[in-house]
């Protein structure tokens, strides 16, 4: 009996040692490691505030960071054009968007809030397509200066509210993540407008290449103007409005293959701003 007890004790001691230190029988069981937390999405790149804290203005990306070019499309509709849309005028251009998808061209669409309200399904589809990014082109498409191509003007005290109203329209129709970029209607701005928009935290995005498609009917001329103007880092302004820019879709079909033949890579505005910040 004593011998048996000693053997039992010895076996128990050996088992305890193996559990504590491991053995050729395999490592001790460990609790499963917790799953890694998903990485938080990084904020879109923006520019630092300009002199005196004014809204920063971006016109083009670095010229020495490779042959990149951003095509941008203004989806214009002013707040008072509802009756014209109801009468059949088309301020959208779905065929252009489909062409960009077909050609696999990333693009930034500067959308007015009124346009998003008129074409909510299209606004939502563009905003949810990773090929595109939606940026702010004001709610009303009224001018932010006193004299801008005959556009009605927004009062200074209403400028920020007009931009924020556009973002609210995007959220309402289901655009998931509009970018913190703003394009002035007509490209018109002054120091007063830049100061008024400082609290909105946006980067104002202009351009260095005018596509010349507004009211143009010759797609060859539009394509040639784009091709003649593009340089590395360029931002090209075009339009996504069938009634006001009927030649744009065909012009894109002509310009895109030639730019690719020249070695250009199409990017969104956010990539150019990131490169300007040293983040691209």
């Amino acid at each position: 009996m004593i011998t048996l007890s000693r053997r039992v004790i010895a076996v128990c001691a050996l088992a305890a040692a193996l559990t504590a230190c491991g053995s050729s029988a395999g490592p001790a069981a460990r609790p499963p490691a917790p799953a890694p937390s998903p990485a938080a999405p990084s904020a879109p790149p923006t520019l630092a505030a300009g002199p005196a804290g004014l809204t920063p203005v971006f016109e083009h990306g670095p010229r020495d960071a490779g042959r990149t070019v951003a095509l941008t499309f203004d989806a214009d509709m002013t707040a008072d054009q509802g009756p014209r849309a109801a009468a059949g005028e088309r301020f959208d251009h779905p065929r252009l968007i489909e062409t960009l998808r077909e050609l696999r061209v990333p693009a930034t669409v500067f959308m007015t809030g009124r346009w998003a309200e008129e074409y909510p399904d299209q606004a939502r589809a563009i905003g949810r397509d990773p090929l595109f990014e939606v940026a702010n082109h004001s709610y009303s498409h009224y001018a932010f200066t006193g004299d801008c191509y005959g556009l009605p003007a927004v009062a200074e005290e209403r400028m920020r509210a007009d931009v924020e109203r556009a973002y609210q329209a995007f959220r309402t129709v289901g655009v998931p993540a509009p970018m913190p970029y703003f394009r002035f209607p007509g490209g018109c701005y002054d120091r007063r407008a830049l100061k008024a928009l400082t609290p909105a935290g946006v980067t104002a995005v202009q351009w260095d290449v005018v596509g010349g498609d507004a009211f143009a009917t010759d797609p060859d001329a539009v394509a040639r103007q784009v091709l003649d103007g593009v340089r590395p880092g360029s931002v090209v302004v075009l339009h996504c409005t069938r009634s006001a820019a009927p030649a744009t879709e065909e012009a894109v079909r002509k310009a895109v293959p030639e730019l690719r033949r020249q070695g250009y890579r199409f990017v969104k505005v956010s990539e150019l701003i990131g490169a300007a910040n040293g983040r691209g």
Side-chain angles (χ1 to χ4, degrees):
M1 182 65 68
I2 295 175
T3 302
L4 179 59
S5 298
R6 288 175 178 171
R7 288 177 180 173
V8 172
I9 293 172
V11 169
C12 291
L14 177 60
L18 290 175
T19 301
C21 302
S23 73
S24 59
R30 296 177 181 175
S37 300
S42 58
T46 56
L47 295 184
L54 297 180
T55 297
V57 180
F58 180 78
E59 295 182 351
H60 61 78
R63 300 299 193 190
D64 58 355
R67 290 195 162 207
T68 55
V69 57
L71 298 187
T72 70
F73 297 88
D74 290 357
D76 296 342
M77 185 173 181
T78 60
D80 59 358
Q81 288 177 332
R84 288 167 57 180
E89 184 171 351
R90 298 308 299 258
F91 297 93
D92 62 338
H93 204 332
R95 184 175 174 185
L96 170 62
I97 297 299
E98 286 308 311
T99 293
L100 294 170
R101 289 186 174 117
E102 176 188 330
L103 297 176
R104 302 302 302 165
V105 176
T108 303
V109 179
F110 285 87
M111 193 179 292
T112 67
R114 183 65 187 86
W115 192 98
E117 291 175 346
E118 187 70 27
Y119 305 106
D121 293 341
Q122 292 185 56
R124 183 165 52 251
I126 292 170
R128 293 180 178 181
D129 189 331
L131 193 64
F132 306 125
E133 61 188 11
V134 171
N136 194 315
H137 195 31
S138 80
Y139 175 82
S140 62
H141 201 253
Y142 289 175
F144 282 58
T145 62
D147 183 14
C148 183
Y149 303 104
L151 291 172
V154 178
E156 181 177 356
E157 63 272 16
R158 296 295 304 162
M159 290 179 180
R160 177 184 176 186
D162 188 82
V163 172
E164 292 175 344
R165 186 179 178 187
Y167 280 122
Q168 181 57 54
F170 300 157
R171 289 190 291 270
T172 299
V173 303
V175 175
M179 305 300 281
Y181 309 144
F182 174 73
R183 174 165 285 166
F184 287 99
C188 304
Y189 69 93
D190 54 20
R191 181 183 177 88
R192 182 180 62 110
L194 294 178
K195 182 178 180 181
L197 294 190
T198 296
V202 295
T203 293
V205 175
Q206 295 290 95
W207 56 81
D208 66 319
V209 179
V210 176
D213 63 333
F215 306 105
T217 57
D218 183 353
D220 290 316
V222 174
R224 178 48 51 194
Q225 187 158 325
V226 170
L227 293 170
D228 288 346
V230 166
R231 298 168 58 194
S234 279
V235 176
V236 181
V237 59
L238 293 162
H239 293 82
C240 185
T241 310
R242 218 182 320 178
S243 61
T248 306
E249 186 267 341
E250 190 174 343
V252 166
R253 285 191 177 276
K254 294 174 180 293
V256 165
E258 176 59 21
L259 286 170
R260 282 182 169 147
R261 189 191 67 78
Q262 295 177 16
Y264 279 94
R265 179 172 64 90
F266 294 96
V267 299
K268 304 170 192 174
V269 165
S270 56
E271 183 168 333
L272 290 186
I273 294 178
N277 282 341
R279 293 174 54 178

